[in-house]
Amino acid sequence: MSASTPPPPAVVHAEPLPRQEEVLTDAALAFVAELHRRFSPRRDELLARRAARRAEIARTSTLDFLPETAHIRADDSWRVAPAPAALEDRRVEITGPTDRKMTVNALNSGALAWLADFEDATAPTWENVVLGQLNLIDAYERRIDFTDPRGKEYALRPPEELATVVVRPRGWHLPDRHLTVDGEAVPGALVDFGLYFFHNARRLIDLGKGPYFYLPKTESHLEARLWNDVFLFAQDFLGIPQGTVRATVLIETITAAYEMEEILYELRDHASGLNAGRWDYLFSIVKNFRDGGAKFVLPDRNAVTMTAPFMRAYTELLVRTCHKRGAHAIGGMAAFIPSRRDEEVNKVAFEKVRADKDREARDGFDGSWVAHPDLVPVARACFDAVLGDAPHQKHRLREDVRVTAPELIAIDSLDAAPTFEGLRNAVQVGIRYIESWLRGHGAVTIFNLMEDAATAEISRSQIWQWINAGVEFDRDGTSVRATAALTREVAATELTAIRAEIGPDAFTTGRWQQAHDLLLQVALNETYPDFLTLPAYELLP
């Protein structure tokens, strides 16, 4: 290749999709290839660093704030960049995948922001990846109106009534086998970011907004630094002003909880806030401390609320950190999906959502997440009561908060224990979610809750942990130990129940046996798989 010949673009390995040429242009594929060549080697080094750090945690069963970055935490002078107007008020955000129906419904929901999700709420089939990008382009161009097969019409409201889009790309660990550069699969994170940024950065600036992102699964400030360097390069590449990009980082790993200030510091010219996750955070605790003995064993996932002492320490520290540095603190998910048939279920759930959002608003959060449009007014009322006409409450510095390193991992401070019903629920939800994911659906309503990949991760992780810790349950008055055999028995019973529930034809055309087998594979293997989605991805079309 001569010096004047440009390097080849990313290569597509997939059957053609309708209108894919509008997304997979030569210029866009060249940009993705450039991102891959520049940043994937560092990404690979950081993934190796994750493994080394995990081994160190296994050896010590502890974590602490980093001594080498103490000067960043001690320096009170620095702040993140001021929020752009479109992200100044974030009191209610809705989350969901980027399919066409969700795109219209989320933008119209009345929420102030929409987390447009290419990550845990999206099964990364090539169709979902490409058409999700196309739907966002169509939304910005206001050509996304459509009528579904039942005759229901979907149309966008006026621009000033639409939620601001904040895109969540895939985490650093996931490859995308459908795009290769120099024979290597491109990280899904760079595919999602690259295609969205390339096509929409200028378009968004013209609309008075900008390319805004949620960054998932971050485990260290060095990973935040990598994202910051991606942003710097991408803005120069398109010739748009530095600082146009804004990123909110999900603090959904236990290691990131010890580096919140450093993460904001690395992204300070592009940072707009931190978000307090739940299921992925618990998943990360199990993953990192799974060899730590009984004091790290989590009870049933539904028993671990945000008021658990170690979760409270984490959320209080997050608010304190964000407001100290001028960033938004965004609360967790209200995952309830209203029932059209059971008003009593709705009444109880709405009260729980209201109590959760009231607590967040009182604690100093500037906004929170919901999974369904019906919850937007519920969450909004909670934050309106505290914020009034103010866009946020960053002035509340929460200097009363003092969180020590041991408090963040004081799992045994929660007075609850695993139960047999918790094991059964983990199996039920795990199988049902994975089956839907394998059919290309990443956001799934199960037992009136919106579940995503983080749900399946905590489900299978808890099964693994309980078995390896030798947890004992009460089962109908008899003490039983968590074992692989017991889990297989529960899974077989669940598979039989599903077949009876949906009928043999629907069972046969679904992917239930594969889902059952995959759950048991990742829950019962002697070696704990880092991510369920890695072996699951190999089963996607």
Side-chain angles (χ1 to χ4, degrees):
M1 186 186 302
S2 69
S4 60
T5 303
V11 178
V12 178
H13 305 273
E15 292 297 316
L17 294 166
R19 297 177 59 198
Q20 72 170 27
E21 67 280 357
E22 298 174 47
V23 176
L24 305 174
T25 64
D26 289 344
L29 293 174
F31 177 61
V32 170
E34 189 63 25
L35 290 174
H36 174 79
R37 293 187 178 103
R38 285 175 178 266
F39 299 110
S40 287
R42 275 176 59 194
R43 170 259 196 181
D44 295 343
E45 292 170 5
L46 289 170
L47 292 183
R49 186 178 181 275
R50 285 182 180 183
R53 192 176 195 187
R54 152 67 196 139
E56 178 65 11
I57 293 170
R59 187 181 68 81
T60 63
S61 288
T62 191
L63 270 172
D64 204 346
F65 301 105
L66 301 178
E68 63 267 30
T69 54
H71 62 286
I72 294 173
R73 300 191 298 275
D75 181 356
D76 290 335
S77 66
W78 64 269
R79 299 287 185 276
V80 303
L87 291 177
E88 183 72 358
D89 190 333
R90 305 177 61 177
R91 68 187 71 198
V92 187
E93 302 188 348
I94 194 166
T95 73
T98 54
D99 62 84
R100 208 159 184 84
K101 177 181 173 181
M102 182 65 194
T103 297
V104 176
N105 285 345
L107 290 171
N108 285 347
S109 66
L112 293 168
W114 168 38
L115 186 158
D117 199 7
F118 287 93
E119 201 230 3
D120 274 1
T122 293
T125 64
W126 187 236
E127 181 176 8
N128 286 344
V129 169
V130 175
L131 298 190
Q133 294 281 350
L134 187 64
N135 290 335
L136 293 174
I137 293 171
D138 281 352
Y140 297 140
E141 295 294 325
R142 297 194 65 87
R143 59 186 184 215
I144 199 169
D145 299 358
F146 72 102
T147 303
D148 72 12
R150 296 174 299 171
K152 184 174 180 180
E153 296 181 353
Y154 292 82
L156 290 180
R157 291 179 176 174
E160 64 275 10
E161 297 180 23
L162 301 181
T164 293
V165 176
V166 186
V167 164
R168 179 161 72 169
R170 280 167 281 180
W172 281 124
H173 61 287
L174 283 167
D176 196 310
R177 66 175 184 269
H178 301 98
L179 269 188
T180 63
V181 173
D182 307 327
E184 300 173 340
V186 180
L190 296 180
V191 174
D192 299 337
F193 167 82
L195 293 175
Y196 179 75
F197 183 88
F198 185 85
H199 288 296
N200 298 299
R202 293 184 190 279
R203 186 178 272 123
L204 286 161
I205 292 170
D206 292 342
L207 293 171
K209 298 187 177 184
Y212 306 140
F213 298 92
Y214 261 108
L215 304 181
K217 305 288 192 293
T218 301
E219 295 198 15
S220 74
H221 69 287
L222 298 180
E223 295 179 17
R225 181 183 298 172
L226 174 57
W227 269 120
N228 196 67
D229 288 344
V230 170
F231 298 156
L232 291 171
F233 168 77
Q235 289 167 127
D236 277 349
F237 189 93
L238 287 195
I240 64 175
Q242 289 293 339
T244 303
V245 171
R246 285 292 192 279
T248 305
V249 180
L250 291 107
I251 302 300
E252 55 184 356
T253 66
I254 186 61
T255 51
Y258 287 84
E259 300 182 37
M260 286 193 259
E261 287 196 74
E262 294 90 332
I263 286 168
L264 286 176
Y265 181 80
E266 294 294 345
L267 286 158
R268 60 194 179 279
D269 293 332
H270 300 108
S272 62
L274 303 177
N275 168 270
R278 182 179 175 189
W279 297 138
D280 262 318
Y281 190 74
L282 297 178
F283 161 47
S284 175
I285 289 173
V286 174
K287 178 190 292 190
N288 282 284
F289 290 94
R290 61 184 184 266
D291 306 312
K295 71 176 185 175
F296 290 106
V297 172
L298 285 168
D300 300 0
R301 71 169 183 136
N302 292 325
V304 188
T305 67
M306 298 305 270
T307 59
F310 68 98
M311 296 297 280
R312 188 116 179 95
Y314 147 63
T315 56
E316 295 267 77
L317 181 60
L318 187 144
V319 173
R320 166 116 171 77
T321 300
C322 285
H323 289 184
K324 177 182 178 183
R325 302 305 181 181
H328 281 77
I330 307 299
M333 169 75 84
F336 176 67
I337 302 299
S339 169
R340 302 303 181 199
R341 296 184 298 274
D342 194 332
E343 280 307 313
E344 190 56 35
V345 167
N346 291 348
K347 181 180 177 182
V348 172
F350 273 55
E351 283 305 312
K352 289 182 179 178
V353 170
R354 194 171 288 111
D356 189 47
K357 300 311 165 191
D358 280 342
R359 175 191 53 78
E360 288 179 336
R362 288 195 306 267
D363 284 351
F365 280 96
D366 304 294
S368 192
W369 283 2
V370 300
H372 192 277
D374 287 358
L375 294 178
V376 170
V378 178
R380 175 146 197 158
C382 298
F383 279 89
D384 285 351
V386 171
L387 298 180
D389 293 332
H392 52 70
Q393 50 182 334
K394 294 179 189 176
H395 64 281
R396 290 189 59 197
L397 298 180
R398 294 303 315 271
E399 292 176 337
D400 57 303
V401 172
R402 294 285 184 273
V403 175
T404 64
E407 287 176 311
L408 289 171
I409 50 173
I411 311 305
D412 54 355
S413 65
L414 180 60
D415 185 20
T419 68
F420 177 74
E421 190 53 44
L423 174 67
R424 183 157 55 192
N425 181 260
V427 170
Q428 288 176 318
V429 172
I431 291 175
R432 289 167 188 260
Y433 179 81
I434 292 169
E435 194 277 335
S436 187
W437 197 91
L438 293 175
R439 287 187 291 107
H441 304 292
V444 188
T445 303
I446 304 174
F447 308 143
N448 289 112
L449 293 176
M450 180 58 73
E451 309 286 18
D452 66 12
T455 306
E457 292 286 22
I458 186 62
S459 295
R460 63 94 179 184
S461 296
Q462 291 202 280
I463 296 168
W464 194 99
Q465 184 186 46
W466 293 344
I467 291 171
N468 282 272
V471 165
E472 293 196 357
F473 309 120
D474 176 81
R475 183 184 187 183
D476 301 325
T478 302
S479 180
V480 295
R481 183 180 290 266
T483 62
L486 178 63
T487 304
R488 289 192 183 96
E489 176 196 329
V490 172
T493 300
E494 174 62 9
L495 210 58
T496 301
I498 290 170
R499 184 184 181 94
E501 176 187 325
I502 66 175
D505 291 343
F507 185 89
T508 302
T509 56
R511 301 186 68 176
W512 295 103
Q513 189 66 50
Q514 269 189 316
H516 164 278
D517 295 349
L518 181 57
L519 176 68
L520 293 184
Q521 174 190 328
V522 295
L524 304 183
N525 271 9
E526 184 175 338
T527 302
Y528 177 91
D530 280 345
F531 291 97
L532 154 71
T533 46
L534 288 172
Y537 182 59
E538 298 305 313
L539 301 176
L540 284 181

